mmCIF file with all atom_site columns, all heavy atoms in Angstrom:
data_model
loop_
_atom_site.group_PDB
_atom_site.id
_atom_site.type_symbol
_atom_site.label_atom_id
_atom_site.label_alt_id
_atom_site.label_comp_id
_atom_site.label_asym_id
_atom_site.label_entity_id
_atom_site.label_seq_id
_atom_site.pdbx_PDB_ins_code
_atom_site.Cartn_x
_atom_site.Cartn_y
_atom_site.Cartn_z
_atom_site.occupancy
_atom_site.B_iso_or_equiv
_atom_site.pdbx_formal_charge
_atom_site.auth_seq_id
_atom_site.auth_comp_id
_atom_site.auth_asym_id
_atom_site.auth_atom_id
_atom_site.pdbx_PDB_model_num
ATOM 1  N N   . GLY A 1 10  ? -4.948  -4.455  -0.290  1.00 0.00 ? 28  GLY A N   1
ATOM 2  C CA  . GLY A 1 10  ? -5.635  -5.351  -1.217  1.00 0.00 ? 28  GLY A CA  1
ATOM 3  C C   . GLY A 1 10  ? -6.758  -4.703  -2.003  1.00 0.00 ? 28  GLY A C   1
ATOM 4  O O   . GLY A 1 10  ? -7.278  -5.301  -2.947  1.00 0.00 ? 28  GLY A O   1
ATOM 5  N N   . ARG A 1 64  ? -26.687 12.202  -13.526 1.00 0.00 ? 82  ARG A N   1
ATOM 6  C CA  . ARG A 1 64  ? -25.364 12.238  -12.900 1.00 0.00 ? 82  ARG A CA  1
ATOM 7  C C   . ARG A 1 64  ? -24.401 13.013  -13.797 1.00 0.00 ? 82  ARG A C   1
ATOM 8  O O   . ARG A 1 64  ? -24.098 12.588  -14.910 1.00 0.00 ? 82  ARG A O   1
ATOM 9  C CB  . ARG A 1 64  ? -24.829 10.834  -12.672 1.00 0.00 ? 82  ARG A CB  1
ATOM 10 C CG  . ARG A 1 64  ? -23.476 10.854  -11.942 1.00 0.00 ? 82  ARG A CG  1
ATOM 11 C CD  . ARG A 1 64  ? -22.929 9.470   -11.693 1.00 0.00 ? 82  ARG A CD  1
ATOM 12 N NE  . ARG A 1 64  ? -21.650 9.562   -10.988 1.00 0.00 ? 82  ARG A NE  1
ATOM 13 C CZ  . ARG A 1 64  ? -21.502 9.526   -9.678  1.00 0.00 ? 82  ARG A CZ  1
ATOM 14 N NH1 . ARG A 1 64  ? -22.582 9.399   -8.913  1.00 0.00 ? 82  ARG A NH1 1
ATOM 15 N NH2 . ARG A 1 64  ? -20.319 9.606   -9.115  1.00 0.00 ? 82  ARG A NH2 1
ATOM 16 N N   . ARG A 1 137 ? -10.420 14.594  -5.169  1.00 0.00 ? 155 ARG A N   1
ATOM 17 C CA  . ARG A 1 137 ? -11.372 13.793  -4.401  1.00 0.00 ? 155 ARG A CA  1
ATOM 18 C C   . ARG A 1 137 ? -10.637 12.695  -3.636  1.00 0.00 ? 155 ARG A C   1
ATOM 19 O O   . ARG A 1 137 ? -10.914 12.433  -2.475  1.00 0.00 ? 155 ARG A O   1
ATOM 20 C CB  . ARG A 1 137 ? -12.432 13.200  -5.337  1.00 0.00 ? 155 ARG A CB  1
ATOM 21 C CG  . ARG A 1 137 ? -13.611 12.582  -4.632  1.00 0.00 ? 155 ARG A CG  1
ATOM 22 C CD  . ARG A 1 137 ? -14.385 13.602  -3.808  1.00 0.00 ? 155 ARG A CD  1
ATOM 23 N NE  . ARG A 1 137 ? -15.532 12.988  -3.156  1.00 0.00 ? 155 ARG A NE  1
ATOM 24 C CZ  . ARG A 1 137 ? -16.764 13.047  -3.630  1.00 0.00 ? 155 ARG A CZ  1
ATOM 25 N NH1 . ARG A 1 137 ? -17.011 13.714  -4.745  1.00 0.00 ? 155 ARG A NH1 1
ATOM 26 N NH2 . ARG A 1 137 ? -17.742 12.465  -2.993  1.00 0.00 ? 155 ARG A NH2 1
ATOM 27 N N   . LEU A 1 146 ? -4.471  7.591   -13.630 1.00 0.00 ? 164 LEU A N   1
ATOM 28 C CA  . LEU A 1 146 ? -3.837  8.314   -14.735 1.00 0.00 ? 164 LEU A CA  1
ATOM 29 C C   . LEU A 1 146 ? -3.053  7.397   -15.675 1.00 0.00 ? 164 LEU A C   1
ATOM 30 O O   . LEU A 1 146 ? -3.277  7.435   -16.896 1.00 0.00 ? 164 LEU A O   1
ATOM 31 C CB  . LEU A 1 146 ? -2.939  9.426   -14.194 1.00 0.00 ? 164 LEU A CB  1
ATOM 32 C CG  . LEU A 1 146 ? -3.658  10.709  -13.771 1.00 0.00 ? 164 LEU A CG  1
ATOM 33 C CD1 . LEU A 1 146 ? -2.711  11.612  -13.000 1.00 0.00 ? 164 LEU A CD1 1
ATOM 34 C CD2 . LEU A 1 146 ? -4.216  11.430  -14.989 1.00 0.00 ? 164 LEU A CD2 1
ATOM 35 N N   . LEU A 1 152 ? -4.920  2.703   -21.701 1.00 0.00 ? 170 LEU A N   1
ATOM 36 C CA  . LEU A 1 152 ? -6.139  2.254   -22.385 1.00 0.00 ? 170 LEU A CA  1
ATOM 37 C C   . LEU A 1 152 ? -6.407  3.099   -23.619 1.00 0.00 ? 170 LEU A C   1
ATOM 38 O O   . LEU A 1 152 ? -6.862  2.584   -24.652 1.00 0.00 ? 170 LEU A O   1
ATOM 39 C CB  . LEU A 1 152 ? -7.320  2.324   -21.418 1.00 0.00 ? 170 LEU A CB  1
ATOM 40 C CG  . LEU A 1 152 ? -8.612  1.621   -21.832 1.00 0.00 ? 170 LEU A CG  1
ATOM 41 C CD1 . LEU A 1 152 ? -8.374  0.134   -22.046 1.00 0.00 ? 170 LEU A CD1 1
ATOM 42 C CD2 . LEU A 1 152 ? -9.694  1.828   -20.774 1.00 0.00 ? 170 LEU A CD2 1
ATOM 43 N N   . ARG A 1 159 ? -11.969 6.849   -27.521 1.00 0.00 ? 177 ARG A N   1
ATOM 44 C CA  . ARG A 1 159 ? -13.080 6.250   -26.781 1.00 0.00 ? 177 ARG A CA  1
ATOM 45 C C   . ARG A 1 159 ? -12.853 6.289   -25.277 1.00 0.00 ? 177 ARG A C   1
ATOM 46 O O   . ARG A 1 159 ? -13.719 5.868   -24.506 1.00 0.00 ? 177 ARG A O   1
ATOM 47 C CB  . ARG A 1 159 ? -13.320 4.799   -27.228 1.00 0.00 ? 177 ARG A CB  1
ATOM 48 C CG  . ARG A 1 159 ? -13.508 4.584   -28.708 1.00 0.00 ? 177 ARG A CG  1
ATOM 49 C CD  . ARG A 1 159 ? -14.426 5.593   -29.356 1.00 0.00 ? 177 ARG A CD  1
ATOM 50 N NE  . ARG A 1 159 ? -15.767 5.629   -28.792 1.00 0.00 ? 177 ARG A NE  1
ATOM 51 C CZ  . ARG A 1 159 ? -16.657 6.565   -29.089 1.00 0.00 ? 177 ARG A CZ  1
ATOM 52 N NH1 . ARG A 1 159 ? -16.350 7.545   -29.925 1.00 0.00 ? 177 ARG A NH1 1
ATOM 53 N NH2 . ARG A 1 159 ? -17.864 6.525   -28.543 1.00 0.00 ? 177 ARG A NH2 1
ATOM 54 N N   . TYR A 1 171 ? -11.638 1.320   -4.584  1.00 0.00 ? 189 TYR A N   1
ATOM 55 C CA  . TYR A 1 171 ? -11.474 0.367   -5.676  1.00 0.00 ? 189 TYR A CA  1
ATOM 56 C C   . TYR A 1 171 ? -10.696 0.945   -6.851  1.00 0.00 ? 189 TYR A C   1
ATOM 57 O O   . TYR A 1 171 ? -10.698 0.364   -7.941  1.00 0.00 ? 189 TYR A O   1
ATOM 58 C CB  . TYR A 1 171 ? -12.839 -0.129  -6.162  1.00 0.00 ? 189 TYR A CB  1
ATOM 59 C CG  . TYR A 1 171 ? -13.649 -0.797  -5.082  1.00 0.00 ? 189 TYR A CG  1
ATOM 60 C CD1 . TYR A 1 171 ? -14.861 -0.254  -4.655  1.00 0.00 ? 189 TYR A CD1 1
ATOM 61 C CD2 . TYR A 1 171 ? -13.200 -1.961  -4.468  1.00 0.00 ? 189 TYR A CD2 1
ATOM 62 C CE1 . TYR A 1 171 ? -15.607 -0.846  -3.667  1.00 0.00 ? 189 TYR A CE1 1
ATOM 63 C CE2 . TYR A 1 171 ? -13.949 -2.566  -3.463  1.00 0.00 ? 189 TYR A CE2 1
ATOM 64 C CZ  . TYR A 1 171 ? -15.151 -2.006  -3.072  1.00 0.00 ? 189 TYR A CZ  1
ATOM 65 O OH  . TYR A 1 171 ? -15.889 -2.606  -2.075  1.00 0.00 ? 189 TYR A OH  1
ATOM 66 N N   . TYR A 1 184 ? -16.202 -1.446  -13.185 1.00 0.00 ? 202 TYR A N   1
ATOM 67 C CA  . TYR A 1 184 ? -15.126 -2.341  -12.768 1.00 0.00 ? 202 TYR A CA  1
ATOM 68 C C   . TYR A 1 184 ? -14.239 -1.588  -11.790 1.00 0.00 ? 202 TYR A C   1
ATOM 69 O O   . TYR A 1 184 ? -14.093 -0.363  -11.871 1.00 0.00 ? 202 TYR A O   1
ATOM 70 C CB  . TYR A 1 184 ? -14.272 -2.782  -13.963 1.00 0.00 ? 202 TYR A CB  1
ATOM 71 C CG  . TYR A 1 184 ? -14.945 -3.753  -14.897 1.00 0.00 ? 202 TYR A CG  1
ATOM 72 C CD1 . TYR A 1 184 ? -15.646 -3.307  -16.014 1.00 0.00 ? 202 TYR A CD1 1
ATOM 73 C CD2 . TYR A 1 184 ? -14.866 -5.126  -14.674 1.00 0.00 ? 202 TYR A CD2 1
ATOM 74 C CE1 . TYR A 1 184 ? -16.254 -4.204  -16.885 1.00 0.00 ? 202 TYR A CE1 1
ATOM 75 C CE2 . TYR A 1 184 ? -15.475 -6.029  -15.535 1.00 0.00 ? 202 TYR A CE2 1
ATOM 76 C CZ  . TYR A 1 184 ? -16.169 -5.558  -16.638 1.00 0.00 ? 202 TYR A CZ  1
ATOM 77 O OH  . TYR A 1 184 ? -16.778 -6.447  -17.489 1.00 0.00 ? 202 TYR A OH  1
ATOM 78 N N   . GLY A 1 231 ? -22.112 -18.959 -15.973 1.00 0.00 ? 249 GLY A N   1
ATOM 79 C CA  . GLY A 1 231 ? -21.080 -18.603 -16.942 1.00 0.00 ? 249 GLY A CA  1
ATOM 80 C C   . GLY A 1 231 ? -21.581 -17.665 -18.017 1.00 0.00 ? 249 GLY A C   1
ATOM 81 O O   . GLY A 1 231 ? -20.874 -17.397 -19.002 1.00 0.00 ? 249 GLY A O   1
ATOM 82 N N   . VAL A 1 249 ? -31.974 -9.882  4.182   1.00 0.00 ? 267 VAL A N   1
ATOM 83 C CA  . VAL A 1 249 ? -31.982 -10.947 3.179   1.00 0.00 ? 267 VAL A CA  1
ATOM 84 C C   . VAL A 1 249 ? -32.807 -10.523 1.973   1.00 0.00 ? 267 VAL A C   1
ATOM 85 O O   . VAL A 1 249 ? -33.928 -10.029 2.113   1.00 0.00 ? 267 VAL A O   1
ATOM 86 C CB  . VAL A 1 249 ? -32.544 -12.258 3.769   1.00 0.00 ? 267 VAL A CB  1
ATOM 87 C CG1 . VAL A 1 249 ? -32.613 -13.343 2.697   1.00 0.00 ? 267 VAL A CG1 1
ATOM 88 C CG2 . VAL A 1 249 ? -31.686 -12.716 4.943   1.00 0.00 ? 267 VAL A CG2 1
#
Side-chain angles (χ1 to χ4, degrees):
R82 183 179 180 93
R155 191 62 179 262
L164 280 168
L170 193 60
R177 307 316 301 170
Y189 301 116
Y202 288 93
V267 177

